[in-house]
Every structure is written in structure tokens, then in C-alpha cells.
């Protein structure tokens, strides 16, 4: 009889804890507060060779640091497949194509992937 009472008490405590955690999670989801993220702005021009590996590296770093990431791609007139690769990344929630406005803030990290021209 005592064993049954202990089991019932344990089940009650576990279910109360689960309800409390689910309530806290639901409140957090309803709050709509946007968590701070690390914003990277990639300047690209003829950068098809390094664009994908750079984005993957930033996502890997975001995964291990636990901080969300936002990546903005700013293409400066590429003539290779860089615009097509950038268009593929547009469908992901962490990646935006630059709309031409200079929206860099102090916390934006700018990474220059532009291929240097032969004469420069």
C-alpha cells in the first residue's frame, strides 16, 4: 500500500512539473519577443566558389554558439553563378538578399567575399 502511495505521489509531481514547463514554454512562444541574433553582411561579387562554404561555416558557428544568425547577401554585379546561389539561399529564414538600402548597424559583421580584380 505504501509503494502505491509513493508511486502516485511521484506521478503527481512529474505531471505537475510537466504542466509548469509547458505553461512556461507557451508563454515564451506567445510573447513574440525576438531574440538577439548575430547579423552578418556578406559582400559578394563573382564569389560562387566561396559563398556556400562561408554560409555553412556561419551556420555551423551559430549552431555551436547557440546564437541565432541573420545573413544578408549584397551582390555587386556578379557575372558568374553567384546570383543564382544567392537566390537559393533566399528561401531560408536566416538569409536575406540585400534590397539596396544601407541598413548596417553597429552590430553588423561585414565579410568581404568579393573577388579581387586582376589589375587591382
Amino acid at each position: 500500500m505504501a509503494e502505491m502511495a509513493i508511486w502516485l505521489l511521484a506521478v503527481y509531481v512529474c505531471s505537475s512539473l510537466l504542466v509548469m514547463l509547458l505553461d512556461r514554454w507557451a508563454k515564451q512562444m506567445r510573447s513574440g519577443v525576438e531574440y538577439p541574433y548575430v547579423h552578418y553582411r556578406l559582400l559578394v561579387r563573382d564569389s560562387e566558389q566561396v559563398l556556400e562554404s562561408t554560409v555553412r561555416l556561419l551556420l555551423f558557428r551559430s549552431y555551436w554558439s547557440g546564437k541565432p544568425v541573420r545573413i544578408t547577401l549584397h551582390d555587386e554585379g556578379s557575372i558568374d553563378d553567384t546570383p543564382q546561389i544567392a537566390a537559393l539561399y533566399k528561401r531560408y529564414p536566416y538569409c536575406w538578399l540585400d534590397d539596396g538600402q544601407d541598413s548596417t548597424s553597429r552590430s553588423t559583421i561585414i565579410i568581404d567575399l568579393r573577388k579581387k580584380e586582376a589589375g587591382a
Side-chain angles (χ1 to χ4, degrees), residues 40 55-67 109:
Y40 294 99
V55 171
R56 286 179 187 242
L57 179 69
L58 294 175
L59 292 176
F60 180 75
R61 183 175 178 174
S62 167
Y63 174 77
W64 284 107
S65 69
K67 297 178 182 175
I109 300 169

Side-chain angles (χ1 to χ4, degrees), residues 47-53 55 73 80-92 95 97:
S47 306
E48 68 179 346
Q49 301 293 325
V50 294
L51 180 59
E52 184 176 358
S53 62
V55 171
L73 300 174
D80 62 353
D81 288 335
T82 303
Q84 288 83 7
I85 295 171
L88 290 174
Y89 280 116
K90 189 172 91 170
R91 63 182 167 185
Y92 295 108
C95 199
L97 295 179

Side-chain angles (χ1 to χ4, degrees), residues 1 3 6 12 16 32 44-45 47 51 55 70 77 83 87 90 102 105-106 109-110 113-114 119:
M1 185 69 169
E3 276 186 37
I6 291 173
Y12 176 75
S16 298
V44 294
R45 180 178 61 232
S47 306
L51 180 59
V55 171
R70 176 180 175 187
K90 189 172 91 170
D102 189 19
S105 64
R106 289 187 314 178
I109 300 169
I110 299 175
L113 298 177
R114 295 176 288 192

Side-chain angles (χ1 to χ4, degrees), residues 4-104:
M4 181 66 95
I6 291 173
W7 276 105
L8 286 174
L9 182 63
V11 168
Y12 176 75
V13 169
C14 288
S15 63
S16 298
L17 182 63
L18 181 63
V19 167
M20 183 183 70
L21 289 174
L22 287 174
D23 183 50
R24 183 175 292 181
W25 178 75
K27 284 180 184 177
Q28 186 179 23
M29 296 304 284
R30 280 182 274 155
S31 69
V33 175
E34 195 170 309
Y35 294 103
Y37 53 83
V38 180
H39 184 197
Y40 294 99
R41 184 180 181 101
L42 302 181
L43 304 176
V44 294
R45 180 178 61 232
D46 298 335
S47 306
E48 68 179 346
Q49 301 293 325
V50 294
L51 180 59
E52 184 176 358
S53 62
T54 304
V55 171
R56 286 179 187 242
L57 179 69
L58 294 175
L59 292 176
F60 180 75
R61 183 175 178 174
S62 167
Y63 174 77
W64 284 107
S65 69
K67 297 178 182 175
V69 65
R70 176 180 175 187
I71 302 171
T72 304
L73 300 174
H74 179 75
D75 188 13
E76 297 185 347
S78 297
I79 57 174
D80 62 353
D81 288 335
T82 303
Q84 288 83 7
I85 295 171
L88 290 174
Y89 280 116
K90 189 172 91 170
R91 63 182 167 185
Y92 295 108
Y94 53 81
C95 199
W96 284 273
L97 295 179
D98 197 6
D99 54 2
Q101 299 174 356
D102 189 19
S103 61
T104 55

